[in-house]
Amino acid sequence: QPFCFWYGASEPHRVFLKGAGRKAGKRIEDVRVPAFLPDNEEVRSDILDYYQEIEHFDRHLGRMLDRLREMGELDHTLVVVTSDNGMAFPRAKANMYEYGIHMPLAVAYPAAGKGGRKVEDLIGFYDFAPTFLEAAGVKPLPVMTGRSFLDVLTSGKSGRVDPARTAAYSGRERHSHSRRDNLGYPARALRTADYLYIRNFKPDRWPAGDPDQFHDIDGSPTRDVVVKGGGRFFELACGKRPAEELFDIRKDPACLDNLAPSAAHAKTLAQLRQQLERTLKAQADPRVLGTGDIFDSYPRHSPMRPELGGFAERGKYNPAFQKK
């Protein structure tokens, strides 16, 4: 007492059952295609299958909430529903853009907070643990970088509740074995209410994995369309990126117009750059301390692609890093 339960679903991860959305009666014309993907029947059908996966997740969640209600515990339970990455499509999952880092988040805590609200405060995954501890009557540990948002949940307010929540931070090192020697694509991001600032630490690397396989994009019909089709959508998903990117999230949620080179946004760029660096230094992030290559020396214990070389499955270090 009290209990804790984690529903760690595989949906809506790939692989999707092709055609499942249409078979379930979903209409191709109802699909909303993100602006960074080609709008054609193959992509729309793939997105319908994605919708079907989400609904499968939701049905199981509904059964769990029903069970809590039957137990008489629903009103006293803090329920948090989120995801662990963006939609499994090119330029979304495993990317620092809005469709890769902006997760769904729904919270219910009937005993302590009024429902039916939409709150716009910026929350990070690192804020979950301090929130759970405070709800359980335990003080968060000093080493935790996040901050409890229990006060936001219990406030009864909508919109922006806590004015101190001005930014959320994200980071990426390695997603899959998609580059020779198991190299990742290190990046950090700062998201405010208006802007998304991204720092790509290795702009010389291919963000979606080495050509011509681009394994950092999950296999899918949409991936095939993008990679084989070339052109603008291929460049958006697979092309190399600059060291800095800046996007106006309110006007450009698809993150298509990089404002970093714009003189009109130089002040905003400088402010967000300084804020991100200050935060990363406070957290002793090796990427800003000059020791970031240590991340590339870590073994990978998940499946490997022999053609890309690097660490063995048994977890021994790459010989290139042995002396380090």
Side-chain angles (χ1 to χ4, degrees):
Q1 297 292 336
F3 64 89
C4 176
F5 180 76
W6 183 314
Y7 169 34
S10 60
E11 296 83 14
H13 283 74
R14 298 283 181 176
V15 177
F16 305 160
L17 179 62
K18 189 171 183 178
R22 281 176 152 177
K23 187 176 181 180
K26 292 178 171 51
R27 304 191 312 162
I28 205 85
E29 58 268 28
D30 293 336
V31 174
R32 297 175 61 183
V33 181
F36 52 83
L37 295 176
D39 190 350
N40 59 39
E41 187 170 341
E42 186 80 346
V43 172
R44 282 177 171 260
S45 181
D46 199 18
I47 294 176
L48 283 184
D49 297 343
Y50 172 59
Y51 293 165
Q52 185 71 8
E53 290 281 316
I54 294 172
E55 290 182 0
H56 182 78
F57 172 97
D58 288 347
R59 283 192 293 272
H60 284 276
L61 173 63
R63 292 172 61 187
M64 295 170 201
L65 296 178
D66 288 342
R67 177 61 177 148
L68 284 172
R69 189 177 292 108
E70 293 168 4
M71 295 167 57
E73 295 288 354
L74 184 59
D75 287 348
H76 307 286
T77 302
L78 170 59
V79 179
V80 176
V81 184
T82 186
S83 179
D84 68 339
N85 51 246
M87 60 190 296
F89 286 78
R91 201 178 162 89
K93 179 182 176 181
N95 287 267
M96 304 304 293
Y97 300 122
E98 183 76 350
Y99 276 74
I101 65 171
H102 190 166
M103 301 297 100
L105 178 60
V107 182
Y109 197 12
K114 185 180 73 172
R117 295 179 290 140
K118 182 177 180 180
V119 177
E120 298 179 356
D121 287 43
L122 292 161
I123 303 295
F125 270 53
Y126 41 75
D127 295 322
F128 288 161
T131 302
F132 298 154
L133 291 177
E134 184 179 2
V138 181
K139 289 185 178 181
L141 301 176
V143 296
M144 290 182 171
T145 57
R147 186 161 61 90
S148 170
F149 58 94
L150 190 65
D151 59 332
V152 175
L153 298 179
T154 59
S155 69
K157 300 178 182 178
S158 300
R160 292 288 297 276
V161 178
D162 183 353
R165 292 189 174 275
T166 59
Y169 299 86
S170 301
R172 164 189 170 159
E173 281 294 329
R174 183 192 296 156
H175 169 230
S176 67
H177 186 205
S178 56
R179 294 170 198 82
R180 288 207 61 79
D181 293 329
N182 210 21
L183 299 178
Y185 190 78
R188 305 290 185 268
L190 165 62
R191 169 70 152 80
T192 69
D194 300 310
Y195 292 98
L196 171 64
Y197 169 72
I198 303 172
R199 172 75 187 279
N200 297 309
F201 287 93
K202 298 289 184 179
D204 57 312
R205 297 179 187 173
W206 296 93
D210 286 347
D212 53 350
Q213 296 300 315
F214 301 107
H215 284 301
D216 243 352
I217 305 175
D218 287 355
S220 67
T222 299
R223 177 192 178 280
D224 293 341
V225 169
V226 169
V227 172
K228 295 177 182 178
R232 174 172 174 264
F233 295 109
F234 171 82
E235 285 299 321
L236 286 173
C238 304
K240 289 186 177 181
R241 297 164 185 169
E244 292 184 302
E245 298 178 272
L246 177 68
F247 301 98
D248 185 330
I249 289 300
R250 296 191 185 276
K251 296 179 180 179
D252 181 26
C255 299
L256 300 178
D257 184 15
N258 181 17
L259 303 174
S262 167
H265 294 85
K267 183 178 180 180
T268 299
L269 178 69
Q271 290 175 340
L272 296 182
R273 178 195 297 130
Q274 292 172 5
Q275 184 175 347
L276 179 62
E277 289 184 356
R278 185 168 57 248
T279 300
L280 296 180
K281 286 179 179 178
Q283 297 176 356
D285 190 318
R287 286 295 174 191
V288 295
L289 298 181
T291 56
D293 285 347
I294 187 65
F295 285 113
D296 291 328
S297 75
Y298 297 147
R300 177 179 174 84
H301 298 282
S302 296
M304 303 280 286
R305 295 183 171 91
E307 70 275 15
L308 293 178
F311 308 130
E313 286 191 45
R314 62 184 179 274
K316 287 189 175 180
Y317 288 100
N318 184 321
F321 291 94
Q322 289 278 349
K323 295 180 180 179
K324 296 182 180 181

Coordinates of all heavy atoms in Angstrom, one line a residue, residues 187-256:
A187 N 22.1 15.0 -30.0 CA 21.4 16.3 -30.1 C 20.7 16.7 -28.8 O 20.4 15.8 -28.0 CB 20.4 16.3 -31.3
R188 N 20.5 17.9 -28.6 CA 19.8 18.4 -27.4 C 18.8 19.5 -27.9 O 19.1 20.2 -28.9 CB 20.7 19.0 -26.4 CG 21.9 18.1 -25.9 CD 21.4 16.9 -25.1 NE 22.5 16.1 -24.5 CZ 23.0 15.1 -25.1 NH1 22.5 14.7 -26.3 NH2 24.0 14.4 -24.6
A189 N 17.7 19.6 -27.2 CA 16.7 20.6 -27.6 C 16.1 21.3 -26.4 O 16.0 20.8 -25.3 CB 15.6 19.9 -28.4
L190 N 15.7 22.5 -26.7 CA 15.0 23.4 -25.7 C 13.7 23.8 -26.3 O 13.7 24.5 -27.4 CB 15.9 24.6 -25.3 CG 15.3 25.8 -24.6 CD1 14.7 25.4 -23.3 CD2 16.3 26.9 -24.5
R191 N 12.6 23.5 -25.6 CA 11.3 23.9 -26.2 C 10.6 24.9 -25.2 O 10.5 24.6 -24.0 CB 10.4 22.6 -26.3 CG 9.0 22.8 -26.5 CD 8.7 23.3 -27.9 NE 7.4 22.9 -28.3 CZ 6.2 23.5 -28.0 NH1 6.2 24.5 -27.2 NH2 5.1 23.0 -28.4
T192 N 10.3 26.1 -25.8 CA 9.5 27.1 -25.0 C 8.1 27.1 -25.5 O 7.8 26.3 -26.4 CB 10.2 28.5 -25.1 OG1 10.0 28.9 -26.5 CG2 11.6 28.4 -24.8
A193 N 7.3 28.0 -25.1 CA 5.9 28.1 -25.6 C 5.9 28.5 -27.0 O 4.9 28.2 -27.7 CB 5.1 29.0 -24.7
D194 N 6.9 29.2 -27.5 CA 6.9 29.8 -28.8 C 8.0 29.2 -29.7 O 7.7 29.1 -31.0 CB 7.2 31.3 -28.7 CG 6.1 32.0 -27.9 OD1 4.9 31.8 -28.2 OD2 6.5 32.8 -27.0
Y195 N 9.1 28.7 -29.2 CA 10.2 28.2 -30.1 C 10.7 26.9 -29.7 O 10.6 26.4 -28.5 CB 11.3 29.3 -30.0 CG 11.0 30.6 -30.7 CD1 10.6 31.7 -29.9 CD2 11.1 30.8 -32.0 CE1 10.3 32.9 -30.5 CE2 10.8 32.0 -32.6 CZ 10.4 33.0 -31.8 OH 10.1 34.3 -32.4
L196 N 11.3 26.2 -30.7 CA 12.1 25.0 -30.5 C 13.5 25.2 -31.0 O 13.7 25.5 -32.1 CB 11.4 23.8 -31.2 CG 12.2 22.5 -31.2 CD1 12.4 22.0 -29.8 CD2 11.5 21.5 -32.2
Y197 N 14.5 25.1 -30.1 CA 15.9 25.3 -30.4 C 16.6 23.9 -30.3 O 16.4 23.2 -29.3 CB 16.6 26.3 -29.5 CG 18.1 26.3 -29.7 CD1 18.7 26.9 -30.8 CD2 18.9 25.8 -28.7 CE1 20.0 26.9 -30.9 CE2 20.3 25.8 -28.8 CZ 20.9 26.3 -30.0 OH 22.2 26.3 -30.1
I198 N 17.3 23.5 -31.4 CA 18.0 22.3 -31.5 C 19.4 22.5 -31.7 O 19.8 23.2 -32.6 CB 17.4 21.4 -32.6 CG1 15.9 21.2 -32.4 CG2 18.1 20.0 -32.6 CD1 15.2 20.5 -33.6
R199 N 20.2 21.8 -30.9 CA 21.7 21.7 -31.1 C 22.1 20.3 -31.6 O 22.0 19.4 -30.8 CB 22.4 22.1 -29.8 CG 23.9 22.0 -29.9 CD 24.6 23.0 -30.7 NE 26.0 22.7 -30.9 CZ 27.0 23.0 -29.9 NH1 26.6 23.5 -28.8 NH2 28.2 22.7 -30.2
N200 N 22.6 20.2 -32.8 CA 23.1 19.0 -33.4 C 24.6 19.0 -33.2 O 25.3 19.7 -33.8 CB 22.7 18.8 -34.8 CG 21.2 18.8 -35.0 OD1 20.5 18.0 -34.4 ND2 20.7 19.6 -35.9
F201 N 25.1 18.1 -32.4 CA 26.5 18.1 -32.0 C 27.4 17.4 -33.1 O 28.6 17.6 -33.1 CB 26.7 17.4 -30.6 CG 26.2 18.2 -29.5 CD1 25.0 18.1 -29.0 CD2 27.1 19.1 -28.9 CE1 24.5 18.8 -27.9 CE2 26.7 19.9 -27.8 CZ 25.4 19.8 -27.3
K202 N 26.8 16.6 -33.9 CA 27.6 15.9 -35.0 C 26.9 16.1 -36.3 O 26.4 15.2 -36.9 CB 27.8 14.4 -34.7 CG 28.5 14.1 -33.4 CD 30.0 14.5 -33.5 CE 30.8 14.1 -32.2 NZ 32.2 14.4 -32.3
P203 N 26.9 17.4 -36.8 CA 26.2 17.6 -38.1 C 26.8 16.9 -39.3 O 26.2 16.9 -40.4 CB 26.2 19.1 -38.2 CG 27.4 19.6 -37.4 CD 27.5 18.6 -36.3
D204 N 28.0 16.4 -39.1 CA 28.6 15.7 -40.3 C 28.0 14.3 -40.4 O 28.2 13.6 -41.5 CB 30.1 15.6 -40.0 CG 30.5 14.9 -38.7 OD1 29.9 15.3 -37.7 OD2 31.3 14.0 -38.7
R205 N 27.3 13.8 -39.4 CA 26.7 12.5 -39.5 C 25.3 12.5 -40.2 O 24.6 13.6 -40.1 CB 26.6 11.8 -38.1 CG 27.9 11.6 -37.5 CD 27.8 11.0 -36.1 NE 29.1 10.9 -35.4 CZ 29.2 10.5 -34.1 NH1 28.1 10.2 -33.4 NH2 30.4 10.5 -33.6
W206 N 24.8 11.4 -40.7 CA 23.5 11.4 -41.3 C 22.5 11.1 -40.2 O 22.6 10.1 -39.4 CB 23.4 10.2 -42.3 CG 24.3 10.4 -43.5 CD1 25.6 9.9 -43.6 CD2 24.1 11.1 -44.7 NE1 26.1 10.3 -44.8 CE2 25.2 11.0 -45.5 CE3 22.9 11.8 -45.1 CZ2 25.3 11.6 -46.7 CZ3 23.0 12.4 -46.4 CH2 24.1 12.3 -47.2
P207 N 21.5 12.0 -40.0 CA 20.6 11.9 -38.9 C 19.7 10.7 -38.9 O 19.3 10.2 -37.8 CB 19.7 13.2 -39.0 CG 19.9 13.6 -40.4 CD 21.2 13.2 -40.8
A208 N 19.4 10.1 -40.1 CA 18.5 9.0 -40.1 C 19.3 7.7 -40.3 O 18.7 6.6 -40.6 CB 17.5 9.1 -41.3
G209 N 20.6 7.7 -40.1 CA 21.4 6.5 -40.3 C 22.2 6.6 -41.6 O 21.9 7.4 -42.4
D210 N 23.2 5.7 -41.7 CA 24.1 5.8 -42.8 C 23.3 5.4 -44.1 O 22.4 4.6 -44.1 CB 25.2 4.8 -42.7 CG 26.3 5.3 -41.7 OD1 26.2 6.4 -41.3 OD2 27.1 4.4 -41.3
P211 N 23.6 6.1 -45.2 CA 23.0 5.8 -46.5 C 23.5 4.4 -46.9 O 24.6 3.9 -46.5 CB 23.6 6.8 -47.4 CG 24.1 7.9 -46.6 CD 24.5 7.2 -45.3
D212 N 22.8 3.6 -47.7 CA 21.5 4.1 -48.2 C 20.3 3.4 -47.5 O 19.2 3.4 -48.1 CB 21.5 3.8 -49.7 CG 21.8 2.3 -50.0 OD1 22.2 1.5 -49.1 OD2 21.6 1.9 -51.2
Q213 N 20.6 2.8 -46.4 CA 19.5 2.1 -45.7 C 18.7 3.0 -44.7 O 17.5 2.8 -44.5 CB 20.1 0.9 -44.9 CG 20.7 -0.1 -45.8 CD 19.7 -0.7 -46.7 OE1 18.6 -1.1 -46.4 NE2 20.1 -0.9 -48.0
F214 N 19.4 4.0 -44.1 CA 18.7 4.9 -43.2 C 17.9 4.1 -42.1 O 16.7 4.3 -42.0 CB 17.8 5.9 -43.9 CG 18.6 6.7 -44.9 CD1 18.5 6.5 -46.3 CD2 19.5 7.7 -44.5 CE1 19.2 7.2 -47.2 CE2 20.2 8.5 -45.4 CZ 20.1 8.2 -46.8
H215 N 18.6 3.3 -41.4 CA 17.9 2.4 -40.4 C 17.3 3.1 -39.2 O 16.6 2.4 -38.4 CB 18.9 1.3 -40.0 CG 19.2 0.2 -41.0 ND1 18.2 -0.6 -41.5 CD2 20.3 -0.2 -41.5 CE1 18.7 -1.4 -42.4 NE2 20.0 -1.2 -42.4
D216 N 17.6 4.3 -39.0 CA 17.1 5.0 -37.8 C 15.6 5.4 -38.1 O 15.0 6.0 -37.2 CB 17.9 6.3 -37.4 CG 18.5 6.1 -36.1 OD1 18.1 5.2 -35.4 OD2 19.3 7.0 -35.7
I217 N 15.1 5.1 -39.2 CA 13.7 5.3 -39.5 C 13.0 3.9 -39.5 O 13.5 3.0 -40.2 CB 13.4 5.9 -40.9 CG1 14.1 7.3 -41.0 CG2 11.9 6.1 -41.1 CD1 14.0 7.9 -42.4
D218 N 12.0 3.7 -38.7 CA 11.4 2.4 -38.6 C 10.9 2.0 -40.0 O 10.3 2.8 -40.7 CB 10.2 2.4 -37.6 CG 10.7 2.5 -36.2 OD1 11.9 2.4 -35.9 OD2 9.8 2.6 -35.3
G219 N 11.0 0.7 -40.3 CA 10.5 0.2 -41.5 C 9.0 0.3 -41.6 O 8.3 0.0 -40.7
S220 N 8.6 0.8 -42.8 CA 7.2 1.1 -43.0 C 6.9 1.4 -44.4 O 7.8 1.8 -45.2 CB 6.7 2.2 -42.1 OG 7.3 3.5 -42.5
P221 N 5.6 1.4 -44.8 CA 5.3 1.8 -46.2 C 5.6 3.3 -46.4 O 6.1 3.7 -47.5 CB 3.8 1.6 -46.2 CG 3.5 0.5 -45.3 CD 4.5 0.8 -44.2
T222 N 5.5 4.1 -45.4 CA 5.8 5.6 -45.5 C 7.3 5.7 -45.7 O 7.8 6.6 -46.5 CB 5.3 6.4 -44.3 OG1 3.9 6.2 -44.2 CG2 5.7 7.8 -44.4
R223 N 8.1 5.0 -44.9 CA 9.5 5.1 -45.1 C 10.0 4.7 -46.5 O 10.8 5.4 -47.1 CB 10.2 4.1 -44.1 CG 11.7 4.0 -44.2 CD 12.3 2.9 -43.4 NE 13.7 2.8 -43.6 CZ 14.4 2.2 -44.6 NH1 13.7 1.8 -45.6 NH2 15.7 2.2 -44.6
D224 N 9.3 3.7 -47.1 CA 9.7 3.3 -48.4 C 9.4 4.4 -49.4 O 10.1 4.7 -50.3 CB 8.9 2.0 -48.8 CG 9.4 0.8 -48.0 OD1 10.5 0.9 -47.4 OD2 8.6 -0.2 -48.0
V225 N 8.2 5.0 -49.2 CA 7.8 6.1 -50.1 C 8.8 7.3 -50.0 O 9.2 7.8 -51.0 CB 6.4 6.6 -49.8 CG1 6.1 7.9 -50.5 CG2 5.4 5.6 -50.1
V226 N 9.2 7.6 -48.8 CA 10.1 8.8 -48.6 C 11.5 8.5 -49.1 O 12.1 9.3 -49.8 CB 10.1 9.2 -47.1 CG1 11.3 10.2 -46.8 CG2 8.8 9.7 -46.7
V227 N 12.1 7.3 -48.7 CA 13.5 7.0 -49.1 C 13.6 6.7 -50.6 O 14.6 7.2 -51.2 CB 14.0 5.8 -48.2 CG1 15.3 5.3 -48.7 CG2 14.0 6.1 -46.8
K228 N 12.7 6.0 -51.2 CA 12.8 5.7 -52.6 C 12.3 6.9 -53.5 O 12.7 7.0 -54.6 CB 11.9 4.5 -52.9 CG 12.4 3.2 -52.2 CD 11.5 2.0 -52.5 CE 11.9 0.8 -51.8 NZ 11.0 -0.4 -52.0
G229 N 11.5 7.8 -52.9 CA 11.0 8.8 -53.7 C 12.0 10.0 -54.0 O 11.9 10.7 -54.9
G230 N 13.0 10.1 -53.1 CA 13.9 11.3 -53.2 C 13.2 12.6 -53.0 O 12.1 12.7 -52.5
G231 N 13.9 13.7 -53.5 CA 13.3 15.0 -53.5 C 13.2 15.6 -52.1 O 13.9 15.3 -51.2
R232 N 12.2 16.5 -51.9 CA 12.1 17.3 -50.7 C 11.9 16.5 -49.5 O 12.5 16.7 -48.5 CB 11.0 18.4 -50.9 CG 10.6 19.2 -49.7 CD 9.6 20.3 -50.1 NE 9.2 21.0 -48.9 CZ 8.1 20.7 -48.2 NH1 7.3 19.7 -48.6 NH2 7.7 21.4 -47.2
F233 N 10.9 15.6 -49.6 CA 10.6 14.8 -48.4 C 11.7 13.9 -47.9 O 12.0 13.7 -46.7 CB 9.3 14.0 -48.6 CG 8.1 14.8 -48.8 CD1 7.5 14.9 -50.1 CD2 7.6 15.6 -47.8 CE1 6.4 15.7 -50.3 CE2 6.5 16.4 -48.0 CZ 5.9 16.4 -49.2
F234 N 12.5 13.4 -48.9 CA 13.7 12.6 -48.6 C 14.7 13.5 -47.8 O 15.3 13.1 -46.8 CB 14.3 12.0 -49.8 CG 15.7 11.4 -49.6 CD1 15.8 10.1 -49.1 CD2 16.8 12.1 -49.9 CE1 17.0 9.5 -48.9 CE2 18.1 11.5 -49.7 CZ 18.2 10.2 -49.2
E235 N 15.0 14.7 -48.3 CA 15.9 15.6 -47.7 C 15.5 16.0 -46.3 O 16.3 16.0 -45.4 CB 16.1 16.8 -48.5 CG 16.9 16.6 -49.8 CD 18.4 16.1 -49.5 OE1 18.9 16.6 -48.5 OE2 18.9 15.3 -50.2
L236 N 14.2 16.2 -46.1 CA 13.7 16.5 -44.8 C 13.9 15.4 -43.8 O 14.3 15.7 -42.6 CB 12.2 16.8 -44.8 CG 11.8 18.2 -45.5 CD1 10.2 18.2 -45.6 CD2 12.3 19.3 -44.6
A237 N 13.8 14.2 -44.2 CA 13.9 13.0 -43.3 C 15.3 12.5 -43.2 O 15.7 12.1 -42.1 CB 13.0 11.9 -43.8
C238 N 16.1 12.6 -44.2 CA 17.4 11.9 -44.3 C 18.6 12.8 -44.5 O 19.7 12.4 -44.2 CB 17.4 10.8 -45.4 SG 16.0 9.6 -45.3
G239 N 18.4 14.0 -45.0 CA 19.5 14.9 -45.3 C 20.2 15.4 -44.1 O 19.7 15.4 -43.0
K240 N 21.5 15.7 -44.3 CA 22.3 16.2 -43.1 C 21.7 17.6 -42.7 O 21.1 18.3 -43.5 CB 23.7 16.4 -43.5 CG 24.4 15.0 -43.7 CD 25.9 15.2 -44.0 CE 26.6 13.8 -44.0 NZ 28.0 13.9 -44.3
R241 N 21.9 17.9 -41.4 CA 21.3 19.1 -40.8 C 22.4 20.0 -40.2 O 23.5 19.5 -39.9 CB 20.3 18.6 -39.7 CG 19.2 17.8 -40.3 CD 18.4 17.1 -39.2 NE 17.4 16.2 -39.9 CZ 16.7 15.3 -39.3 NH1 16.9 15.0 -38.0 NH2 15.8 14.6 -39.9
P242 N 22.1 21.3 -40.1 CA 23.1 22.2 -39.5 C 23.2 22.0 -38.0 O 22.5 21.3 -37.4 CB 22.4 23.6 -39.8 CG 21.0 23.3 -39.9 CD 20.8 21.9 -40.5
A243 N 24.3 22.6 -37.5 CA 24.6 22.5 -36.1 C 23.5 23.1 -35.2 O 23.2 22.6 -34.1 CB 25.9 23.1 -35.7
E244 N 22.8 24.1 -35.7 CA 21.7 24.8 -34.9 C 20.5 24.9 -35.8 O 20.5 25.2 -37.0 CB 22.1 26.2 -34.5 CG 23.2 26.2 -33.4 CD 23.5 27.6 -32.9 OE1 23.9 28.4 -33.8 OE2 23.4 27.9 -31.7
E245 N 19.3 24.6 -35.1 CA 18.0 24.8 -35.8 C 17.1 25.5 -34.8 O 17.1 25.3 -33.6 CB 17.4 23.5 -36.1 CG 18.3 22.7 -37.1 CD 17.7 21.3 -37.5 OE1 18.0 20.3 -36.7 OE2 16.9 21.2 -38.4
L246 N 16.3 26.4 -35.4 CA 15.3 27.2 -34.6 C 14.0 27.2 -35.3 O 14.0 27.6 -36.5 CB 15.8 28.6 -34.4 CG 14.9 29.6 -33.6 CD1 14.8 29.1 -32.1 CD2 15.5 31.0 -33.7
F247 N 12.9 26.9 -34.6 CA 11.6 26.9 -35.3 C 10.6 27.6 -34.4 O 10.6 27.6 -33.2 CB 11.1 25.4 -35.5 CG 12.1 24.6 -36.3 CD1 13.0 23.8 -35.7 CD2 12.0 24.7 -37.7 CE1 13.9 23.0 -36.5 CE2 12.9 23.9 -38.5 CZ 13.8 23.1 -37.9
D248 N 9.7 28.4 -35.1 CA 8.5 29.0 -34.5 C 7.4 28.0 -34.4 O 6.8 27.7 -35.4 CB 8.1 30.2 -35.3 CG 7.0 31.0 -34.7 OD1 6.2 30.4 -33.9 OD2 6.9 32.2 -34.9
I249 N 7.3 27.4 -33.2 CA 6.4 26.3 -33.1 C 4.9 26.6 -33.3 O 4.1 25.8 -33.9 CB 6.5 25.7 -31.6 CG1 7.8 25.0 -31.5 CG2 5.4 24.7 -31.3 CD1 8.0 23.8 -32.5
R250 N 4.5 27.8 -33.0 CA 3.1 28.2 -33.2 C 2.8 28.4 -34.7 O 1.7 28.0 -35.1 CB 2.8 29.6 -32.5 CG 3.0 29.5 -30.9 CD 2.4 30.7 -30.2 NE 2.7 30.7 -28.8 CZ 1.9 30.1 -27.9 NH1 0.8 29.4 -28.4 NH2 2.1 30.1 -26.6
K251 N 3.7 28.9 -35.5 CA 3.5 29.1 -36.9 C 3.9 27.9 -37.7 O 3.4 27.6 -38.8 CB 4.2 30.3 -37.4 CG 3.8 31.6 -36.8 CD 4.6 32.8 -37.3 CE 4.2 34.1 -36.8 NZ 5.0 35.2 -37.3
D252 N 4.8 27.1 -37.2 CA 5.5 26.0 -38.0 C 5.6 24.8 -37.1 O 6.8 24.3 -36.9 CB 6.8 26.5 -38.5 CG 7.6 25.5 -39.3 OD1 6.9 24.7 -39.9 OD2 8.8 25.6 -39.4
P253 N 4.5 24.1 -36.7 CA 4.7 22.9 -35.9 C 5.3 21.8 -36.6 O 5.9 20.8 -36.0 CB 3.2 22.6 -35.5 CG 2.4 23.2 -36.6 CD 3.1 24.5 -36.9
A254 N 5.3 21.8 -37.9 CA 6.0 20.7 -38.7 C 7.5 20.9 -38.8 O 8.2 20.1 -39.3 CB 5.4 20.6 -40.1
C255 N 8.0 22.1 -38.3 CA 9.4 22.4 -38.2 C 10.1 22.3 -39.6 O 11.0 21.5 -39.8 CB 10.2 21.4 -37.2 SG 9.6 21.6 -35.5
L256 N 9.6 23.1 -40.5 CA 10.1 23.1 -41.9 C 10.9 24.3 -42.2 O 11.8 24.2 -43.1 CB 8.9 23.1 -42.9 CG 7.9 21.9 -42.8 CD1 6.8 22.0 -43.8 CD2 8.7 20.6 -43.0

